[in-house]
Amino acid sequence: MKKRSLASIEVDGECVCHREPGEEFLFYRAVAGGMIDAVQENCSRGAFENMEGAGLLSNNPINNLRYHFVVTAAMLARFCMEGGMSMEEAFGLSDEYIRRMDCCNNMAEIVYVHDQMALDYVCRMRSLKKNVASSRQVAEAIDYIYVHIMERISVNDLAAAVSVSPAHLSRIFKQETGISVSEYIRQRKIDMAKNLLQYSSYELADIAAMLSYSSQSHFIQHFHSQMGMTPKVFRSKNYMNTWNVNRRPEPSEESATLSE
């Protein structure tokens, strides 16, 4: 894994450092993806209150945190709308939590409201994603997949977790979601892989291991079958530090093969 770096810019004769925003975007994606465990871990280690490289928006520490809170609320609203939340609900939550934050008197209270906001959004997104199922068993299976997405999940393990037979789960899952259990798991793993490729500096081998693929080559083949391109090409086109609306893919990117 590459170390997180800080980018610096000189403002009024002073050097101001900003960290790469990948960690923040992974957090927004985790919230929008309904990944409660990842969001709880982010909150429990105090990621929001760690201002190193976050940018100085005010010389007053409390106001600085307030302004960062507003940015986070706006980003969560937009990411969750992209994930399927209605505009009214997403912006309504953002407005509500900004009003709550505005009543806070110290940094600890602001951090507490931030964590409550993040958990509120992620729980609503988890429920939204479970609503594709009409039966309790399929809803619980989807929930299990989101919680254990970084692990190797078999149909047998999933069926045991929701107390039905593998054959029954496979049948009702396909009926209610339109795809097989295995395909659903593959799609969710690729969703996570896309986030990691776009918003982190993890090497392909690290991502393959994190998502419990048997090998890097298996991960590359799986990714290519789902996305029509290799992880390396996907990252070259989407990695956030190279975002540029005027950028055209290099010929070498277009002709990349599975050997990458």
Side-chain angles (χ1 to χ4, degrees):
M1 173 184 173
K2 298 177 182 177
K3 293 182 179 179
R4 185 177 65 184
S5 62
L6 299 178
S8 62
I9 184 172
E10 190 171 300
V11 179
D12 295 332
E14 295 185 5
C15 185
V16 179
C17 293
H18 289 80
R19 64 192 177 207
E20 293 182 1
E23 182 177 351
E24 284 82 0
F25 277 83
L26 279 175
F27 171 69
Y28 303 146
R29 288 293 185 190
V31 172
M35 301 178 67
I36 292 177
D37 287 359
V39 174
Q40 287 177 328
E41 188 276 333
N42 182 282
C43 294
S44 66
R45 61 183 169 84
F48 173 66
E49 57 190 305
N50 178 12
M51 290 287 102
E52 180 185 3
L56 186 64
L57 305 181
S58 172
N59 288 322
N60 181 302
I62 294 179
N63 286 341
N64 188 51
L65 197 62
R66 289 186 191 279
Y67 297 146
H68 280 285
F69 184 105
V70 173
V71 171
T72 299
M75 294 298 288
L76 288 180
R78 283 158 177 78
F79 271 75
C80 287
M81 280 191 293
E82 180 184 296
M85 182 179 284
S86 71
M87 181 177 70
E88 293 79 7
E89 183 176 11
F91 283 138
L93 281 175
S94 174
D95 294 346
E96 171 63 23
Y97 279 101
I98 289 173
R99 287 194 296 270
R100 292 187 192 181
M101 179 275 296
D102 195 45
C103 297
C104 294
N105 297 312
N106 55 59
M107 296 177 71
E109 291 179 355
I110 295 172
V111 171
Y112 175 79
V113 175
H114 166 274
D115 293 352
Q116 292 301 304
M117 173 178 67
L119 291 170
D120 195 351
Y121 269 112
V122 73
C123 287
R124 289 169 186 256
M125 291 305 296
R126 174 74 71 83
S127 296
L128 183 65
K129 293 179 183 303
K130 288 166 64 176
N131 284 342
V132 300
S134 57
S135 70
R136 177 185 60 80
Q137 293 94 338
V138 173
E140 289 180 354
I142 291 173
D143 198 44
Y144 183 94
I145 291 168
Y146 273 96
V147 171
H148 299 273
I149 195 60
M150 308 299 272
E151 303 169 17
R152 187 171 297 176
I153 307 170
S154 71
V155 177
N156 288 342
D157 292 338
L158 194 55
V162 300
S163 302
V164 296
S165 70
H168 180 67
L169 177 62
S170 296
R171 180 176 59 80
I172 62 174
F173 197 99
K174 181 76 175 286
Q175 286 177 346
E176 296 180 26
T177 67
I179 58 176
S180 68
V181 175
S182 298
E183 179 62 20
Y184 190 90
I185 294 170
R186 281 194 290 269
Q187 290 181 5
R188 300 293 76 76
K189 281 187 178 287
I190 292 303
D191 287 343
M192 187 63 192
K194 287 161 58 180
N195 290 337
L196 291 168
L197 288 165
Q198 189 170 359
Y199 301 119
S200 81
S201 299
Y202 287 112
E203 302 291 348
L204 296 189
D206 296 326
I207 295 175
M210 289 169 65
L211 292 170
S212 299
Y213 282 95
S214 57
S215 65
Q216 180 178 330
S217 61
H218 181 211
F219 165 59
I220 292 173
Q221 291 171 352
H222 183 185
F223 191 96
H224 189 276
S225 70
Q226 293 284 319
M227 298 300 299
M229 66 181 76
T230 64
K232 182 179 179 180
V233 173
F234 178 87
R235 172 170 273 171
S236 72
K237 292 181 176 182
N238 296 282
Y239 187 59
M240 63 180 316
N241 286 344
T242 60
W243 278 357
N244 185 333
V245 293
N246 297 315
R247 180 177 180 272
R248 297 177 62 85
E250 298 295 332
S252 60
E253 295 175 359
E254 297 292 350
S255 60
T257 65
L258 279 173
S259 62
E260 293 179 299

